[in-house]
Amino acid sequence: MCEGKNQSPINLTGFIEAELEPIAFDYQEGGQEILNNGHTVQVNYASGSSIKVDGTSFELKQLHFHAPSENHIEGKSYPLEAHLVHASDEGDLAVVAVMFEEGGANEGLEQAWSSMPEQAGEEKTLQSSLSADDILPSDRDYYRFNGSLTTPPCTQGVRWLVMKQPVTASKEQIEHFADVLHEPNNRPLQPVNARPVLQ
């Protein structure tokens, strides 16, 4: 089902220096619904949270997780990766990716995992509303490339914005997610082809 030369994920390497505008984050506490769709655990967002990229506003629709990470950075895989999926009014997509390293417990994850749905198809309400700010790194520098969604139909034309700075999650938090899914849920790396990766 997945065709095209700009597929995701990729190994981000061979960076091209560029004047990347800072992403304008405007996140509210809108994440109240958490669900296990059998492929990932996802937090859905009410309207009101957005980013601005290329002069266009993209509304945060949902965030979900992959273990191990789908994208690699200079050959390095991470134990967990979050994807914050946004859409513009025109239907264009932008995904902010955050890498997790094993370390101290992550407060944002703690909030989400406390209501983790254990069974596929199960949906729960979070005890307290989650702001996506809670899982972003303090340093918002990023890599950028054009890619696709990583699940079928793998729609291309997605702006990928990968945070350079990883955040930490505890070993227990990472294992809890992996245990609930029972198997890795990362798509294999795809060929970069002629795409530039900007930094």
Side-chain angles (χ1 to χ4, degrees), residues 117-129:
E118 305 280 333
Q119 304 300 321
E122 190 180 354
E123 196 173 298
K124 290 186 177 180
T125 301
L126 288 174
Q127 290 162 0
S128 56
S129 187

Side-chain angles (χ1 to χ4, degrees), residues 33-143:
E33 185 179 76
I34 185 167
L35 65 106
N36 178 337
N37 62 13
H39 175 68
T40 187
V41 171
Q42 177 173 311
V43 178
N44 290 332
Y45 277 80
S47 59
S49 293
S50 65
I51 59 172
K52 200 165 195 180
V53 184
D54 303 331
T56 301
S57 184
F58 294 82
E59 186 165 82
L60 177 62
K61 299 297 186 182
Q62 47 103 337
L63 68 86
H64 64 266
F65 301 89
H66 295 273
S69 70
E70 295 205 301
N71 292 293
H72 293 191
I73 298 176
E74 297 197 278
K76 180 177 179 180
S77 168
Y78 292 81
L80 186 68
E81 178 176 357
H83 290 165
L84 290 71
V85 182
H86 307 73
S88 71
D89 289 344
E90 289 72 42
D92 292 327
L93 298 174
V95 178
V96 173
V98 180
M99 302 297 181
F100 289 81
E101 290 182 317
E102 194 178 301
N106 185 286
E107 285 183 25
L109 286 189
E110 200 60 49
Q111 215 173 321
W113 276 200
S114 65
S115 303
M116 173 90 80
E118 305 280 333
Q119 304 300 321
E122 190 180 354
E123 196 173 298
K124 290 186 177 180
T125 301
L126 288 174
Q127 290 162 0
S128 56
S129 187
L130 179 67
S131 169
D133 264 332
D134 293 341
I135 63 163
L136 286 176
S138 53
D139 181 345
R140 306 287 169 84
D141 280 352
Y142 64 99
Y143 304 111

Side-chain angles (χ1 to χ4, degrees), residues 2-10 12 23 51 53-54 56 58-59 61-62 64 66 70-71 81-88 90-97 142-162 187 192 195-198:
C2 300
E3 295 178 353
K5 292 194 169 178
N6 290 351
Q7 292 288 297
S8 297
I10 63 169
L12 284 74
I23 301 166
I51 59 172
V53 184
D54 303 331
T56 301
F58 294 82
E59 186 165 82
K61 299 297 186 182
Q62 47 103 337
H64 64 266
H66 295 273
E70 295 205 301
N71 292 293
E81 178 176 357
H83 290 165
L84 290 71
V85 182
H86 307 73
S88 71
E90 289 72 42
D92 292 327
L93 298 174
V95 178
V96 173
Y142 64 99
Y143 304 111
R144 175 173 177 163
F145 68 95
N146 287 329
S148 72
L149 296 178
T150 64
T151 53
C154 308
T155 311
Q156 295 193 157
V158 178
R159 291 168 171 86
W160 277 88
L161 312 161
V162 180
R187 186 184 187 200
V192 176
R195 278 178 283 176
V197 181
L198 307 179

